Amino acid sequence: FFFFLARASAAPTTSATMLITKKNRLAILSYLFKEGVIVAEKTTGHTDRNALMLHPDIMGVSTSFCEDGAVKTSPQRVRNLEVIKLMQSLTSKELVTERFAWKHYYWFLKDEGIEYLREYLHIPEDVVPNTLKKSTKPAAPERPGGDRDGERGPPRGDRDGYRRGPPGGEGGYRGFGRGGGAPRPPA
């Protein structure tokens, strides 16, 4: 009898689901496929004002109704919470990998995730995320004076000899700082 009362007073456990509009979901997934990675700042809860923060890179669509009954849409940024919840769903399906550092989530698209998003977003096979593209940056330009023999930086005149050590001495330059350290043992 006691067990029954305790059981009846316990609150039923339900999993909370978040509704994300289809347009915002498509905007988030399109951005993820285009970049190959997505970042979102952690929000600490529904009472925190950070929960209403907008994602700086993803534009969604806001829908409102006019007095005459017409539907009006306008571009609006997607909330960080929507990005986090959608990425948690993709993480549970093992389509992205998640990392967390310094109050930011980082999600990286896996190969299975690329195939899933290609099918979901109807993207052709020749289009790949930016993380898989080859870099088109030109090679680093040659530095001036780069043809010298292993020397770094511009020539310093009479200071180069000082850095190489005393003339004719063995052991060379011993570094910097206070004092010369213990005397060297005779060789």
Side-chain angles (χ1 to χ4, degrees), residues 45-89:
H46 66 280
T47 58
D48 189 6
R49 68 180 182 93
N50 289 336
L52 301 176
M53 282 181 41
L54 304 177
H55 196 277
D57 298 327
I58 303 173
M59 291 296 290
V61 177
S62 174
T63 306
S64 59
F65 296 97
C66 298
E67 292 87 28
D68 59 356
V71 177
K72 178 182 167 186
T73 60
S74 60
Q76 182 181 356
R77 298 221 179 264
V78 174
R79 292 187 306 159
N80 260 351
L81 189 59
E82 292 177 332
V83 174
I84 291 170
K85 291 302 177 183
L86 186 58
M87 290 300 111
Q88 283 178 352
S89 173

Side-chain angles (χ1 to χ4, degrees), residues 70-172:
V71 177
K72 178 182 167 186
T73 60
S74 60
Q76 182 181 356
R77 298 221 179 264
V78 174
R79 292 187 306 159
N80 260 351
L81 189 59
E82 292 177 332
V83 174
I84 291 170
K85 291 302 177 183
L86 186 58
M87 290 300 111
Q88 283 178 352
S89 173
L90 293 180
T91 303
S92 69
K93 296 177 185 176
E94 296 184 358
L95 301 175
V96 295
T97 58
E98 177 183 308
R99 292 200 183 142
F100 182 77
W102 292 88
K103 288 183 65 177
H104 285 79
Y105 290 103
Y106 298 88
W107 291 279
F108 303 94
L109 200 53
K110 291 183 174 180
D111 291 335
E112 300 85 18
I114 292 173
E115 294 304 317
Y116 172 79
L117 289 181
R118 254 199 199 112
E119 183 179 321
Y120 187 82
L121 299 172
H122 308 292
I123 296 175
E125 291 288 325
D126 58 336
V127 179
V128 294
N130 286 344
T131 53
L132 297 181
K133 291 181 181 175
K134 298 285 184 187
S135 177
T136 58
K137 288 184 179 180
E142 188 173 327
R143 295 183 352 198
D147 56 344
R148 299 192 327 232
D149 295 335
E151 296 180 19
R152 296 184 306 181
R156 301 279 182 154
D158 61 337
R159 289 194 279 173
D160 285 336
Y162 165 74
R163 288 196 177 101
R164 287 199 179 94
E170 291 185 27

